Amino acid sequence: RRVWSYLDGKDTDMQATDTLDGARLMRELVRRSPFALHLGIQLAELADGRAVLRLPFREEVVTVGNTVHGGAIATLVDTAAMAAAWAGAEVPDPPRGSTVSLTVDYLAPADGRGIEAVASVVRCGRRLTTVRIDAHAGDTHVATALVTYQIG
């Protein structure tokens, strides 16, 4: 199966004949996503049904003062959920997926600090995957989220 065109064959260590598993797709996608790059999101860990992503503190993610914008946190949470849902998943041809539902509860501000989001799959059905995400800035729990993600 060829999914090379999905990644446009640019800036990747993949060959045109390589097949793609969900984890490899996420490593490439997060690394090359224009929006994730703009925010500085980095994939730190990826395993079957689990992902850890980081959002470094930068001026681009501030809402006012030195408080990280809720939208940047939501983007981090959504990206972490996507990565966890795909990790271990079979990649359809063509690879397609989307967030169906995203609920974020903001618990504390992330003032002047980067954020780490840990996403874990709670349930994986035929097409829908439910993922729980906890985001921390140091030892401060800044957000918790529940995401439903669809593959295919």
Side-chain angles (χ1 to χ4, degrees):
R1 177 168 34 136
R2 295 174 150 226
V3 293
W4 181 251
S5 61
Y6 184 75
L7 295 171
D8 297 326
K10 299 176 188 165
D11 188 28
T12 180
D13 62 352
M14 295 177 55
Q15 302 300 313
T17 56
D18 283 355
T19 57
L20 198 60
D21 64 28
R24 191 165 187 192
L25 175 65
M26 286 302 101
R27 283 187 192 95
E28 289 292 330
L29 193 62
V30 172
R31 182 175 72 87
R32 297 173 49 194
S33 165
F35 194 51
L37 286 170
H38 175 69
L39 293 178
I41 293 174
Q42 304 159 353
L43 178 63
E45 297 175 31
L46 190 61
D48 192 6
R50 184 174 189 277
V52 179
L53 278 75
R54 294 189 180 116
L55 175 68
F57 181 78
R58 301 173 35 210
E59 187 175 298
E60 292 83 358
V61 300
V62 168
T63 184
V64 69
N66 69 345
T67 302
V68 177
H69 192 287
I73 295 170
T75 299
L76 174 67
V77 161
D78 187 37
T79 306
M82 173 188 67
W86 278 99
E90 184 177 321
V91 178
D93 193 6
R96 291 187 309 193
S98 64
T99 299
V100 174
S101 172
L102 168 68
T103 302
V104 182
D105 292 318
Y106 298 97
L107 307 173
D111 290 332
R113 295 176 290 171
I115 302 170
E116 180 174 271
V118 178
S120 301
V121 170
V122 174
R123 182 182 184 282
C124 186
R126 247 181 338 158
R127 292 187 62 172
L128 296 179
T129 301
T130 304
V131 184
R132 177 186 166 92
I133 307 94
D134 288 296
H136 291 82
D139 41 344
T140 301
H141 196 178
V142 297
T144 188
L146 195 61
V147 172
T148 303
Y149 191 84
Q150 179 178 338
I151 294 178

